[in-house]
Amino acid sequence: MSLLFDRVSLSLGGSPVLHDISLSLADGEQAALIGPSGAGKTSLLMLANTVLRPNGGSLQLLGQAPWSLPSRALRALRRDIGTVYQSPPLPPRQRVVNAVAAGRLGRQSLAAALAQLLLPRDTAAIEAALARVNLADRLWERCDQLSGGQRQRVGIARVLYQAPRLLLVDEPVSALDPRLAEQTVRLLTDEARSRGATLLMSLHSVELALAFFPRLIGARQGRVMFDLPREAVSEAQLSALYADETPHAPPPTPTPLPWQRPC
Ligand SMILES: Nc1ncnc2c1ncn2[C@@H]1O[C@H](COP(=O)(O)OP(=O)(O)OP(=O)(O)O)[C@@H](O)[C@H]1O
């Protein structure tokens, strides 16, 4: 099993965000995570990559309980988990080549990692990863000279270069036009399938989720509303998932979390 959540709950800034999430993904399985804005999709993915720690319940990733591991073993586990962030945290002055090279930093000694950051040696493989997102010609460009969509694709090239066993992808196409969005989802699903990696991808587009994923997980207000093969998801379930939220208490002032910090 690549991912196993057992009654997991999470609070952020003192407010409950995820409630009683039980979920599993077998090795090599692919699922789309859908639901309205604020449903908790990003939070769930950040639990699955150990950026966040749950307040309740238990979780296992790639067969290990991350929060019971010694720090060295936790670092090793994190090397096998790759994340594509909605807004990739790319330092503005960093060159694209270094941003992609960062995908494998965890696999090296500190000295090798620092050397790789100053002068990446593996440029052929980095360029090949960039070519898959049509950015090979941007290898030496600075990240702050890229458009939002290009930055999103650099984040994808980084995870292609990392080649993790568990691939977590948070709305990878928000800054892409429809044609590129479809190409990108296809690229990530093909990549996971060809390497036998497990893929969990949050998507705002239900159409893309239905077109590319055999399994859909619908989340709303921090709960899993359904978890079904795509053929079993009904129009009524989708309408209920996205139905207007009833007014509730104003949200707390958010404290920026690691993946929300400005570049
Ligand atoms: N740092 C924070 N502090 C407090 N609450 C937060 C914080 N970050 C997110 N939240 C709250 O957690 C809830 C879930 O947010 P999350 O970003 O996981 O949702 P989402 O489904 O990914 O939304 P979107 O589709 O808009 O990206 C929201 O109500 C949000 O306001």
Side-chain angles (χ1 to χ4, degrees), residues 40-144:
K41 303 181 296 294
T42 299
S43 305
L44 194 153
L45 291 169
M46 297 304 130
L47 285 172
N49 69 4
T50 74
V51 165
L52 293 176
R53 187 173 181 157
N55 301 94
S58 61
L59 60 88
Q60 286 197 11
L61 304 167
L62 300 172
Q64 302 189 73
W67 300 111
S68 308
L69 292 175
S71 53
R72 181 188 282 257
L74 179 57
R75 278 200 301 277
L77 173 65
R78 284 174 170 153
R79 288 199 283 272
D80 279 330
I81 302 175
T83 308
V84 175
Y85 293 88
Q86 207 168 134
S87 308
L90 306 175
R93 297 170 65 85
Q94 193 176 47
R95 296 202 182 275
V96 168
V97 64
N98 298 107
V100 177
R104 286 197 197 162
L105 284 189
R107 296 187 195 277
Q108 298 160 329
S109 68
L110 184 60
L114 285 173
Q116 172 81 340
L117 273 182
L118 289 172
L119 189 64
R121 280 173 303 157
D122 202 11
T123 48
I126 293 171
E127 195 170 0
L130 282 164
R132 296 180 67 192
V133 294
N134 301 325
L135 286 178
D137 55 337
R138 302 301 179 111
L139 188 65
W140 298 104
E141 205 145 317
R142 270 174 43 167
C143 290
D144 56 3

Side-chain angles (χ1 to χ4, degrees), residues 12-13 17 36-43 86 204 251-257 260:
L12 292 175
V17 167
S37 186
K41 303 181 296 294
T42 299
S43 305
Q86 207 168 134
H204 284 132
T253 310
T255 315
L257 294 168
Q260 296 170 322

Side-chain angles (χ1 to χ4, degrees), residues 59-249:
L59 60 88
Q60 286 197 11
L61 304 167
L62 300 172
Q64 302 189 73
W67 300 111
S68 308
L69 292 175
S71 53
R72 181 188 282 257
L74 179 57
R75 278 200 301 277
L77 173 65
R78 284 174 170 153
R79 288 199 283 272
D80 279 330
I81 302 175
T83 308
V84 175
Y85 293 88
Q86 207 168 134
S87 308
L90 306 175
R93 297 170 65 85
Q94 193 176 47
R95 296 202 182 275
V96 168
V97 64
N98 298 107
V100 177
R104 286 197 197 162
L105 284 189
R107 296 187 195 277
Q108 298 160 329
S109 68
L110 184 60
L114 285 173
Q116 172 81 340
L117 273 182
L118 289 172
L119 189 64
R121 280 173 303 157
D122 202 11
T123 48
I126 293 171
E127 195 170 0
L130 282 164
R132 296 180 67 192
V133 294
N134 301 325
L135 286 178
D137 55 337
R138 302 301 179 111
L139 188 65
W140 298 104
E141 205 145 317
R142 270 174 43 167
C143 290
D144 56 3
Q145 287 164 351
L146 301 178
S147 71
Q150 288 166 339
R151 290 163 62 84
Q152 214 162 30
R153 282 145 62 202
V154 169
I156 292 167
R158 168 151 66 186
V159 92
L160 294 175
Y161 181 64
Q162 180 188 354
R165 287 167 60 203
L166 173 59
L167 183 47
L168 305 164
V169 183
D170 192 11
E171 183 45 68
V173 297
S174 55
L176 305 184
D177 66 57
R179 189 184 53 86
L180 211 45
E182 190 178 317
Q183 269 180 21
T184 301
V185 175
R186 188 186 304 281
L187 170 70
L188 287 164
T189 50
D190 285 352
E191 162 73 8
R193 195 173 302 111
S194 69
R195 290 196 302 98
T198 307
L199 173 64
L200 180 60
M201 183 184 298
S202 87
L203 281 169
H204 284 132
S205 162
V206 176
E207 291 71 26
L208 285 176
L210 285 166
F212 285 96
F213 288 86
R215 174 178 167 193
L216 268 59
I217 301 165
R220 180 184 165 95
Q221 294 183 353
R223 295 180 196 279
V224 171
M225 305 304 286
F226 58 78
D227 179 358
L228 293 167
R230 74 178 137 203
E231 303 74 23
V233 178
S234 68
E235 281 295 331
Q237 281 166 319
L238 291 174
S239 301
L241 188 69
Y242 290 99
D244 286 341
E245 309 268 58
T246 46
H248 46 81

